[in-house]
Amino acid sequence: MAIVELHQLTKSYKTNRGIEDISFSIEEGEIFGFIGPNGAGKSTTIRTLLNFIYPTGGSATIFGKDIVKQSKGIRQHIGYLPSEVHYYDDMKVIDLLTYSGRFYKNFKEERMKGLAASLELDVSRKIEDLSFGNRKKVGIVQALLHEPRLIILDEPTSGLDPLMQHHFFDLLHEEQKRGATIFFSSHVLSEVQRMCNRVAIIKEGRLLKVESIESLTKNKVKNVTLLFGSAAPLSIELEGIVSQEAKNQEIKLLYSGDIQALLKKLSTLPVQDVLIEEPSLEEVFMHYYES
């Protein structure tokens, strides 16, 4: 069952680029990645989905409900963490979270305190006394405190130290086990590869690809390392080579062509050793962005 569905969703501005003809769906219970560099249109897509800004074309539904006409009912079941969180500086964390929680019907104070404890967040402090990382923790607790069916995260780990990022990812997996669906928008590709089932790649406001992480990193593009007995040739000419780098006795290739053609080519070269590996999501991502 699709929790989120976008059909040619478009947001146009007079001068700035928005998004154009964005179409994909997110299935119930999955962690879905949304990747692209800053300015690609990730936040615009999310803000349009949440009806913070009005679409100029296309349509979208969440829980089967229209994002514009039924946005009030949708928001009761969504947890949203923006890329930057801003709060009233003179409020205590506990007061802010309690105030936020009372907007939701199924708010439980015990859950709020449990989430804060798991993130090592001191709820007795004032917002103005918190570091950027601790303010982000407040945003995470605020997004999760009402047990939302859909969790939308926009660059969620910025400001968190590596250990706290690990705790945060564990927390998201617990939410997934609870039945929540997670929309994970990030430009940190290693996080997306670690967390997500499928991913959408966006570039300059347009969708490039929607694919499973496994499909993106397997059978499409290969990392090929060639070791020569003496100095490596400056380059290898073969259709399907996306990029190559020669250094001393070694050449590294990013290869997307026919594997038989590659082996035939290698048989003509004085190669001593060959290593063929699956690429990382980052290498696949750069392949799409540079092509």
Side-chain angles (χ1 to χ4, degrees), residues 213-226 238-245 251-263 266 274-285 287-288:
I213 295 289
E214 184 178 12
S215 295
L216 275 177
T217 55
K218 289 185 178 180
N219 304 321
K220 302 288 184 182
V221 185
K222 304 290 185 185
N223 275 333
V224 182
T225 303
L226 308 176
L238 179 64
E239 185 177 352
I241 294 178
V242 177
S243 63
Q244 58 182 300
E245 180 184 357
I251 289 185
K252 290 182 178 290
L253 308 174
L254 190 61
Y255 183 70
S256 63
D258 178 62
I259 195 69
Q260 294 298 327
L262 174 65
L263 295 175
L266 295 183
V274 179
L275 177 63
I276 300 177
E277 300 174 295
E278 305 294 350
S280 67
L281 180 60
E282 183 170 359
E283 288 164 320
V284 176
F285 175 84
H287 166 58
Y288 280 107

Side-chain angles (χ1 to χ4, degrees), residues 128-141:
E128 63 185 355
D129 297 329
L130 299 181
S131 65
F132 177 69
N134 279 318
R135 289 183 187 223
K136 180 58 70 81
K137 293 179 188 178
V138 175
I140 293 169
V141 175

